[in-house]
């Protein structure tokens, strides 16, 4: 009798040629953006960012947070993938969240408590400058639009004017509950921003992909964007919006009606409120759409979406009734945008340099995950394929708008936190290497540069 043996399945190389090419191209993009930005700054046609493509100051330094940051990075790289595979689910989420908080705080403390955290939100251009004067919230909302344009005695500071009133409201509410001042506000940004490390895997698991969710945890915890989560309002936005999307996924996949309704109400209200945190967060729409396919198969999408939409509309009605009409605010903020330094930032440079800044925030692996998601989409529309692609669609739309020239390393954090959702697309043998690359990126940025707001 002649027998045949089935040949063993081929194991994908840890770093196949296509991934190496993608990484090289991404590296070339970052290098070109640095070189061209420096050349333009020296040639008399400045790009209005001293360390383009990042908005920062050149400042090589060590700090009290350096040993802690190195320790967290080493632990996450060496043990993260193994623990993500074996820990019970809730303990894994707790460990991921704790790692994210420690990573963000240790990176911030490289600059010290004042420069890295407590002083970030108290600068003249920031939100906390306006908080003491907000003694009447309804009056603030009613008169908000009239103070957006610059060159008038009572115009809002840069960050307040550039956002809808929800962003200022968050810091006013923190102040009202006794958490006023730069330190508590910065810690709130860190603690809320780190919720993305929980929200992303929770979303994947709710949509039926626990294995992918587990792989994503160490990547979400060690995101280079933690440099800007600690501490910026955009980090807080990332945590709130990712939590809203996780709630939506849980609502759409819940088998019990009462919890589904409660989750949908919370998700709808938070997603609508996000649009009053930043005008650009309307671009969460592709990410919200990416959670729908699994729900359609369960037949639960209709009622849950109707509930979420109703909750969202209630938020819109509340802001409108209080005197703030979103479209008016957007119209004036576009004018304010070009009253400032944005008018001097050349779109011809920033249209592509923005993408380099995004890679430094989302991590070098973002380009590889993006390429793999595009290739995989032809035969697989799983959540860990759709979510990173949806984030990249949002980034592309923001870039093409012309209203994001520089500073996107923090502005696009609500989209960057979703790239780790595609970590399961990476060959298993490469994952520690990519985690190390993420850590090196963050450590390099934070030790060579002093990031600004």
């Amino acid at each position: 009798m002649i027998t045949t043996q089935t040949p063993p399945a081929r194991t994908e190389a840890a770093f196949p040629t296509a991934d190496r090419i993608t990484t090289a191209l991404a590296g070339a993009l970052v290098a070109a953006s640095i070189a061209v930005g420096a050349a333009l700054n020296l040639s008399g046609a400045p790009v209005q960012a001293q360390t383009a493509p990042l908005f920062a100051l050149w400042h090589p330094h060590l700090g009290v947070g350096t040993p802690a940051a190195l320790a967290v990075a080493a632990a996450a790289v060496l043990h993260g993938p193994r623990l993500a595979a074996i820990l019970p689910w809730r303990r894994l989420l707790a460990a991921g969240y704790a790692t994210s908080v420690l990573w963000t705080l240790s990176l911030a403390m490289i600059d010290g408590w004042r420069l890295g955290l407590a002083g970030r939100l108290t600068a003249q251009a920031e939100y906390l400058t306006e908080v003491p004067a907000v003694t009447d919230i309804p009056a603030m909302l009613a008169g908000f639009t009239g103070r957006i344009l610059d060159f008038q005695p009572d115009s809002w500071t840069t960050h307040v004017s550039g956002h809808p009133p929800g962003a200022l409201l968050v810091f006013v509410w923190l102040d009202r509950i006794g958490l006023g001042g730069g330190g508590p506000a910065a810690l709130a940004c860190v603690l809320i921003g780190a919720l993305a490390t929980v929200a992303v895997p929770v979303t994947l698991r709710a949509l039926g992909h626990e294995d992918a969710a587990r792989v994503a945890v160490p990547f979400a915890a060690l995101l280079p964007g933690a440099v800007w989560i600690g501490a910026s309002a955009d980090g807080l936005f990332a945590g709130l919006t990712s939590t809203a999307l996780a709630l939506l996924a849980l609502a759409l996949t819940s088998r019990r009606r009462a919890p589904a309704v409660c989750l949908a109400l919370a998700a709808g209200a938070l997603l609508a409120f996000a649009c009053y945190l930043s005008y650009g967060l309307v671009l969460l729409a592709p990410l919200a759409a990416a959670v729908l396919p699994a729900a359609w198969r369960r037949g639960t999408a209709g009622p849950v979406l109707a509930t979420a939409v109703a909750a969202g509309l209630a938020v819109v009605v509340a802001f409108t009734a209080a005197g703030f009409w979103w479209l008016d605010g957007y119209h004036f903020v576009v004018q304010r945008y070009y009253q400032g330094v944005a008018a001097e930032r050349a779109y011809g440079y920033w249209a592509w340099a923005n993408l380099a800044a995004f890679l430094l925030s989302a991590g070098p692996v973002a380009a590889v995950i993006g390429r793999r998601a595009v290739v995989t989409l032809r035969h697989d529309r799983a959540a860990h394929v759709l979510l990173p692609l949806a984030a990249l669609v949002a980034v592309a739309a923001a870039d093409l708008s012309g209203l994001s020239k520089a500073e996107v390393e923090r502005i696009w954090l609500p989209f960057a936190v979703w790239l780790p959702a595609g970590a399961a697309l990476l060959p298993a043998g490469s994952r520690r290497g990519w985690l190390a690359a993420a850590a090196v990126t963050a450590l390099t940025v934070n030790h060579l540069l002093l990031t600004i707001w």
Side-chain angles (χ1 to χ4, degrees):
M1 176 182 288
I2 298 176
T3 60
T4 59
Q5 280 190 326
T6 302
R10 293 180 62 184
T11 302
E12 185 179 13
F15 298 97
T17 301
D19 286 358
R20 293 200 298 270
I21 292 173
T22 302
T23 305
L25 291 173
L29 176 67
V30 173
S33 69
I34 294 172
V36 173
L40 290 172
N41 280 335
L42 292 171
S43 70
V47 296
Q48 301 299 329
Q50 291 186 30
T51 58
L54 300 180
F55 190 65
L57 301 174
W58 177 253
H59 181 58
H61 63 291
L62 299 175
V64 295
T66 297
L70 292 170
V72 173
V77 171
L78 293 174
H79 304 295
R82 177 180 61 84
L83 293 176
I86 65 173
L87 282 178
W89 178 247
R90 291 184 180 179
R91 287 179 58 190
L92 172 60
L93 293 180
Y97 179 76
T99 301
S100 181
V101 171
L102 289 173
W103 177 234
T104 305
L105 289 176
S106 62
L107 288 170
M109 287 300 293
I110 292 170
D111 299 332
W113 170 250
R114 173 57 54 184
L115 276 178
L117 287 165
R120 287 297 174 99
L121 297 169
T122 60
Q124 187 278 330
E126 282 284 1
Y127 301 93
L128 296 188
T129 305
E130 301 284 8
V131 166
V134 182
T135 57
D136 185 333
I137 289 177
M140 181 273 285
L141 292 172
F144 191 88
T145 304
R147 298 176 62 184
I148 292 175
L149 293 181
D150 206 355
F151 309 119
Q152 54 182 330
D154 61 346
S155 60
W156 295 114
T157 59
T158 301
H159 280 265
V160 174
S161 68
H163 295 76
L168 177 59
L169 268 179
V170 169
F171 294 103
V172 170
W173 288 333
L174 286 173
D175 184 71
R176 295 283 175 91
I177 63 173
L179 297 176
L187 291 176
C189 290
V190 172
L191 295 175
I192 295 173
L195 288 175
T197 304
V198 175
V200 171
V202 164
T203 302
L204 290 170
R205 186 172 186 258
L207 298 176
H209 302 282
E210 182 171 336
D211 289 345
R214 288 179 172 275
V215 174
V217 172
F219 284 87
L222 214 60
L223 186 79
V227 170
W228 295 276
I229 290 175
S232 75
D234 297 277
L236 182 146
F237 301 164
L240 286 177
T241 55
S242 58
T243 298
L245 289 165
L247 291 172
L248 180 62
L250 290 168
L252 289 166
T253 56
S254 175
R255 296 183 182 277
R256 294 181 296 169
R257 182 173 181 178
V261 169
C262 293
L263 290 165
L265 288 171
L270 265 179
L271 286 171
F273 185 66
C275 296
Y276 291 89
L277 294 172
S278 172
Y279 296 101
L281 290 178
V282 294
L283 294 176
L284 288 170
L287 282 158
V291 307
L292 295 179
W296 290 124
R297 290 192 291 272
R298 292 171 183 255
T300 58
V304 168
L305 283 178
T307 302
V309 168
L313 287 174
V315 172
V316 174
V317 168
F319 272 98
T320 304
F324 177 77
W325 178 234
W326 192 93
L327 289 174
D328 285 344
Y330 177 77
H331 171 75
F332 282 113
V333 89
V334 171
Q335 294 182 55
R336 171 71 183 247
Y337 186 69
Y338 287 103
Q339 285 181 313
V341 71
E344 302 174 35
R345 286 176 171 163
Y347 181 70
Y349 170 76
W350 287 109
W352 58 275
N354 279 344
L355 302 179
F358 179 73
L359 284 174
L360 291 170
S361 181
V365 73
V368 174
I369 288 175
R371 183 197 69 80
R372 285 179 166 269
V374 169
V375 171
T376 306
L377 185 64
R378 290 178 290 186
H379 57 82
D380 188 356
R381 288 173 174 78
H384 61 282
V385 177
L386 293 177
L387 286 168
L389 283 178
L392 292 176
V393 168
V395 164
D399 197 34
L400 292 172
S401 74
L403 297 176
S404 296
K405 292 186 289 186
E407 306 174 49
V408 299
E409 59 271 15
R410 63 170 178 80
I411 295 171
W412 292 350
L413 281 172
F415 312 127
V417 297
W418 288 98
L419 268 297
L425 298 171
L426 303 169
S430 72
R431 291 170 189 165
R432 277 195 174 86
W434 286 119
L435 284 171
V440 168
T441 299
L443 290 166
T444 300
V445 168
N446 223 140
H447 281 96
L448 291 182
L449 307 177
L450 179 64
T451 55
I452 302 172
W453 61 48

